[in-house]
Amino acid sequence: MSKKNSKRQIEEKNNTTMQQYDNAAIQQYNNTVRCLTGKYRKMEPDCQEGARAQLERVKNFARSETICMRSRMI
């Protein structure tokens, strides 16, 4: 019986160690996600503004090309 008990104790200890490792890994992963989310939130307004500016440049280019094409047709 003592072999079974010692084997069970070793298995329980291993399970506890794995749970602790899993918890630590999950916590580290969550911290990484929080960090990246914070960085994204800081960058997002700049990215949105850059996208808006680029969209306006494309619109202006399209307008000028349309005007140019119309003038060639006349």
Side-chain angles (χ1 to χ4, degrees):
M1 278 286 222
S2 66
K3 280 189 173 183
K4 282 187 177 181
N5 286 339
S6 64
K7 192 172 184 180
R8 178 181 278 168
Q9 288 173 344
I10 291 171
E11 287 176 0
E12 288 176 1
K13 185 177 180 183
N14 287 341
N15 287 340
T16 303
T17 303
M18 287 303 293
Q19 286 174 346
Q20 289 171 346
Y21 174 78
D22 289 345
N23 289 340
I26 291 169
Q27 189 174 19
Q28 183 178 3
Y29 175 78
N30 287 342
N31 288 338
T32 302
V33 169
R34 283 188 199 101
C35 179
L36 293 174
T37 302
K39 288 179 182 179
Y40 172 76
R41 286 183 180 158
K42 289 178 185 176
M43 291 179 354
E44 185 182 21
D46 294 336
C47 293
Q48 287 179 352
E49 187 58 38
R52 284 189 195 106
Q54 187 173 2
L55 178 62
E56 285 301 316
R57 287 193 297 271
V58 170
K59 283 181 182 178
N60 290 335
F61 177 76
R63 285 183 196 129
S64 66
E65 286 297 309
T66 303
I67 292 170
C68 181
M69 293 297 289
R70 286 182 183 166
S71 66
R72 290 183 188 167
M73 297 172 96
I74 296 177

